[in-house]
Amino acid sequence: MLNVPDLVGQPVHIAQETAANLGFGLAAGDPDGPGLRSRTWPGLFWVTSQDPPAGSVLARGSQIQITFVQDGQARSDVPEQTGGPTPSLQSHAEGDTES
């Protein structure tokens, strides 16, 4: 039995290598559909979630299910900023003038 690594935030190709080095496989989506490599090539894709979560214990050879997005796509796991001032280039350029 092995601890599942934290793959969220890693590029898919690195996560796949990390999982393989520990004795796990990665899977995504429909098991009867195209394989992970064919769904993530060419391009850069980022792991956005995994099941089971990091720290879980699995037998060697088990599959870790991942979801991913292509680089540049919106990531639903990143919280949207709410409240507070709206960032602007002008306020950034002026810096903090209050002392």
Side-chain angles (χ1 to χ4, degrees), residues 43-67:
L44 178 60
F45 293 78
W46 299 92
V47 177
T48 57
S49 69
Q50 70 181 67
D51 183 35
S56 300
V57 178
L58 287 180
R60 182 178 300 277
S62 297
Q63 295 285 311
I64 301 169
Q65 291 286 330
I66 63 165
T67 57

Side-chain angles (χ1 to χ4, degrees), residues 8-95:
V8 175
Q10 293 185 13
V12 169
H13 68 282
I14 300 294
Q16 196 164 29
E17 185 177 312
T18 300
N21 288 340
L22 295 171
F24 298 118
L26 286 190
D30 181 5
D32 297 325
L36 183 59
R37 284 208 188 262
S38 65
R39 295 178 61 198
T40 59
W41 188 89
L44 178 60
F45 293 78
W46 299 92
V47 177
T48 57
S49 69
Q50 70 181 67
D51 183 35
S56 300
V57 178
L58 287 180
R60 182 178 300 277
S62 297
Q63 295 285 311
I64 301 169
Q65 291 286 330
I66 63 165
T67 57
F68 54 87
V69 294
Q70 188 167 12
D71 193 44
Q73 287 183 328
R75 293 178 49 171
S76 61
D77 61 335
V78 176
E80 186 176 326
Q81 180 180 344
T82 56
T86 302
S88 73
L89 291 176
Q90 184 64 33
S91 64
H92 179 72
E94 292 170 356

